[in-house]
Amino acid sequence: MEQTNFNQFDQNQKLPNATAVLVLGILSIITCLCYGIVGLILGIIALFLYKSDMKLYQANPSAYNNYSNLNTGRILVIIGIVLNILTLIWFMYVINMIGWENLGDMQKLQERARELQGR
């Protein structure tokens, strides 16, 4: 009887992309300061991987044993995407306030920053 339970445990598989979703979720949060673009791309890729694994899991939940990694990865991806969108909006706001023409010239950039601080 113990042999049957042990064999049944061995039959449980891991979802193929659960670890990748978890890692990409973490990287999405870490890279949110890379202008919001890198982390957003990683988050979108992770969401596609999540959806494919979720279909596998829903088809046969008893066959897989690492759903918690997939779910944790999804939560991290959502947090990462939100942080990256906020970062992207922030950088667009700063560029709008400073101006594209002032970004290349350090002296003009400093002058514009002083003007904005003086308001």
Side-chain angles (χ1 to χ4, degrees):
M1 185 169 191
E2 289 180 41
Q3 189 70 12
T4 306
N5 290 338
F6 183 72
N7 288 338
Q8 192 176 29
F9 181 73
D10 279 348
Q11 291 175 356
N12 284 346
Q13 307 174 46
K14 292 188 176 196
L15 290 164
N17 298 322
T19 304
V21 171
L22 187 63
V23 170
L24 287 173
I26 292 168
L27 289 175
S28 176
I29 292 172
I30 291 172
T31 59
C32 74
L33 294 177
C34 295
Y35 302 106
I37 296 173
V38 174
L40 192 60
I41 293 170
L42 293 175
I44 291 170
I45 292 170
L47 279 181
F48 282 117
L49 293 175
Y50 167 79
K51 286 183 181 182
S52 68
D53 270 10
M54 193 61 189
K55 287 178 185 176
L56 287 174
Y57 181 77
Q58 287 176 342
N60 191 3
S62 62
Y64 301 103
N65 62 3
N66 65 339
Y67 175 73
S68 62
N69 283 353
L70 185 67
N71 197 35
T72 303
R74 179 182 64 97
I75 293 168
L76 292 174
V77 166
I78 291 169
I79 292 169
I81 287 176
V82 168
L83 287 175
N84 282 289
I85 289 173
L86 291 174
T87 303
L88 189 60
I89 290 170
W90 171 254
F91 279 115
M92 288 173 28
Y93 171 75
V94 168
I95 289 172
N96 186 36
M97 292 301 292
I98 292 174
W100 279 105
E101 66 279 353
N102 296 330
L103 289 176
D105 186 6
M106 186 58 88
Q107 187 176 11
K108 287 183 180 180
L109 182 63
Q110 289 175 350
E111 288 174 14
R112 185 69 179 136
R114 279 190 221 114
E115 288 175 16
L116 291 174
Q117 289 175 352
R119 285 187 180 177

